[in-house]
Amino acid sequence: MRIDLHTHTLVSDGTDTPTQLVRKAAQEGLDVIGLTDHDTFDGLREARLAGEEAGVQVLAGMEFSTERRGASVHLLAYGCDPHDEALLDELARVRVGRSDRVPTMAARLTELGMPLTVEDVLRHATGTSLGRPHIADAMVEKGYVAHRDEAFRLWLHEGSPAYVDRYSTELTRAIELVRRAKGVAVLAHPWGRGRRGDLPEAFLAELVLEHGLDGIEVDHPDHDDDTRADLRAVAERLGVIVTGSSDHHGLGKRNNPLGAGLTHPDAHAEIVRRIQARGGRP
Ligand code: AMP
Ligand code: ZN
Ligand code: FE
Ligand code: FE
């Protein structure tokens, strides 16, 4: 069984439609994919239908934009009730936070010598969740950078002069919202991109023991081999589910081909078992 539990479509900031993503997954020999678009469930219906045709099981997911002490943390949510009002209200608020800063960031880039309008960015908005990747796409179109990675590295990362902060849900509250919506909560790529110091083992333990975190994503392209080994040991000490994924974004990320990280079938089965035990829909 080949299981990749973290993927994106153009409903957020990937470049495939849900149908294209599922067909590609079938071609790559994947048996299960988790569809985890940012802060929305909007791609799930189409992906499930395509999955039935292509013989790929689609695990309903979502990647929640959260924060701890002002730093961004991503939380994967599986099997949530997509009609849960408290969760939907919060996701809408987060999406507004993502898109609200586009005018300010466009103005800052303009001041930095890269003229950009909101319309330039909106031309690249493909779905429900707008974000920095779409600003990056507009910068590529204007010829300011070669690709999304360069846009992030030079101009869009947290701390860059063009970066504008935004609202996202406090992490422990996000876990609570996911659990109340009958879902399973897995911390996404916690030690990627130099974030290891922000989320030490003692804090991860608190998330598990006091807030009901179910799992940790270990085999992710942003984690090098040493990081994976250390994080896997932490997950084993805490007794949580270990997942792996590609974080595929279509052409939007170059280091993340489908199947680049895989989840063990036992871990996938445990996620499904917990969703069912909570009354959710895997
Ligand atoms: P936003 O939610 O608007 O802050 O944008 C976050 C999105 O940007 C996530 O999908 C990330 O995968 C993507 N992202 C963050 N950092 C980078 C990077 N260095 N290169 C490419 N994409 C990135
Ligand atoms: Zn993304
Ligand atoms: Fe992420
Ligand atoms: Fe992601």
Side-chain angles (χ1 to χ4, degrees), residues 4 6-9 16 21 24 246-250 256-258:
D4 180 343
H6 179 170
T7 63
H8 297 267
T9 72
D16 302 307
L21 175 76
K24 262 169 55 179
S246 62
D247 203 355
H248 187 63
H249 279 66
N256 306 59
L258 271 175

Side-chain angles (χ1 to χ4, degrees), residues 35-46:
L35 176 55
T36 53
D37 272 313
H38 297 283
D39 310 309
T40 177
F41 299 117
D42 284 357
L44 294 175
R45 236 180 90 82
E46 181 185 326

